[in-house]
Amino acid sequence: MKVSVLIPTVNRPTALAATLMALVVQSFGDFEITIADQSRTFIRTEPTIQTISRIFELHDRPPLHILQNLPPRGIAQQRQFLLNHSTGTFSLFLDDDVILEPRAISRLVQAMEEEECGFGGMAPVGLSYREDVRTGEQEISWWNGRVQPERVRPEGPGWERYKLHSAANMLHIGEKLRASGAGQKKYKVAWIGGCVLYDTAKLRDTGGFEFWQKLPPEHCGEDVLAQLRLMEKYGGFGLVPSGAYHQELPTTIANREVNAPEYLLAAR
């Protein structure tokens, strides 16, 4: 299997349904889907999810593997649970409220095979901000040549790149790129949330999300910490134009007092 699509979900059957339907129409076909569910009602019993599962079968798409992961022990443990079930060369961690364009997975796989680095991602665009052009947040550093390892830490050099992923910045940067006649390009990141394709072996080599055991159950920033460690050893990039869109729902992680990078990097 080339790609394992890994989706953590909790109490979002409607958003998850939209995310899954976008996967039905992907131009890339060599993938499997594993969903780790921590909802109050097991989503496998939801009629809409059952219908979508049948649509996958109808179109000869891979079956949906829907697993319960209870009791909840935090989002880092949820991601490690999914990583443990990945069989793909690449692992696409996709949030349950992100909708992909039909060529998104194909484009990510192509870029990762070109670079052979740790991860590549598409920052989800918030389309409600389409008219909110934030030129002050759109300073971008392109990778010219191969993606290289780099050390990025909170508040250190490169950290300010996180502003690129606010609102609809990546949509506006992508529109400028298309206007210039260029194809997709890779840029330097601090981290990416929502839609990230990892080299599975490299992610496991840097520990994956096993650090969940050192965190209290309520935490955030787990994907940031995993990417900072992976980027330091293998490198990572963002891809523009983005082919991912955020449904702009309220976060399911209400308590964000413990931020994994600050908590564990400071401790070290």
Side-chain angles (χ1 to χ4, degrees):
M1 186 67 61
K2 179 71 75 171
V3 177
S4 290
V5 180
L6 308 174
I7 306 175
T9 191
V10 56
N11 301 322
R12 278 181 170 174
T14 302
L16 177 64
T19 296
L20 292 174
M21 284 306 299
L23 295 177
V24 172
V25 297
Q26 287 298 301
S27 62
F28 184 88
D30 189 8
F31 67 91
E32 63 181 0
I33 301 171
T34 299
I35 301 168
D37 181 37
Q38 295 183 329
S39 302
R40 289 184 295 271
T41 301
F42 191 21
I43 59 164
R44 186 186 288 167
T45 67
E46 293 280 350
T48 300
I49 302 301
Q50 291 177 348
T51 296
I52 292 172
S53 181
R54 295 180 187 118
I55 292 173
F56 271 81
E57 294 175 4
L58 181 66
H59 292 278
D60 295 321
R61 289 298 195 176
L64 302 182
H65 302 291
I66 305 176
L67 309 174
Q68 274 189 314
N69 180 27
L70 296 173
R73 286 163 286 180
I75 184 60
Q77 188 276 336
Q78 174 84 311
R79 293 193 186 279
Q80 185 60 43
F81 176 83
L82 283 164
L83 182 58
N84 290 344
H85 285 85
S86 175
T87 64
T89 302
F90 300 111
S91 293
L92 176 60
F93 275 89
L94 185 65
D95 284 0
D96 63 357
D97 60 347
V98 172
I99 297 174
L100 299 183
E101 292 181 349
R103 293 188 60 249
I105 296 180
S106 176
R107 290 176 52 210
L108 281 167
V109 169
Q110 176 188 337
M112 281 291 289
E113 290 181 335
E114 290 170 352
E115 299 301 330
E116 299 180 341
C117 61
F119 70 90
M122 291 178 171
V125 171
L127 286 174
S128 69
Y129 297 91
R130 186 175 182 181
E131 305 304 321
D132 182 5
V133 181
R134 304 181 181 185
T135 55
E137 296 179 353
Q138 294 178 18
E139 183 177 346
I140 192 165
S141 298
W142 302 107
W143 280 110
N144 297 311
R146 295 295 294 271
V147 171
Q148 299 295 322
E150 57 176 341
R151 179 182 172 88
V152 177
R153 289 294 183 269
E155 311 309 325
W159 188 250
E160 72 283 352
R161 300 170 188 163
Y162 77 88
K163 297 176 184 177
L164 282 168
H165 299 158
S166 299
N169 287 338
M170 296 314 301
L171 175 68
H172 300 140
I173 292 171
E175 289 173 343
K176 293 176 185 176
L177 190 67
R178 289 190 180 99
S180 71
Q184 67 179 20
K185 293 185 67 174
K186 308 171 187 92
Y187 64 95
K188 298 179 182 181
V189 299
W191 54 276
I192 303 179
C195 174
V196 184
L197 187 69
Y198 295 91
D199 181 300
T200 305
K202 290 181 173 65
L203 179 58
R204 286 173 174 155
D205 178 60
T206 54
F209 301 88
E210 289 286 4
F211 53 78
W212 73 267
Q213 300 172 74
K214 300 178 182 178
L215 292 169
E218 293 187 351
H219 59 263
C220 64
E222 78 300 331
D223 48 352
V224 181
L225 180 55
Q227 289 172 33
L228 294 181
R229 300 191 332 181
L230 194 57
M231 189 158 47
E232 186 170 357
K233 186 169 184 179
Y234 293 110
F237 63 88
L239 198 60
V240 63
S242 175
Y245 302 91
H246 203 287
Q247 297 185 45
E248 301 184 59
L249 301 175
T251 179
T252 57
I253 303 176
N255 187 341
R256 309 181 74 84
E257 293 181 4
V258 175
N259 185 288
E262 296 174 1
Y263 187 85
L264 292 179
L265 292 177
R268 190 175 75 173

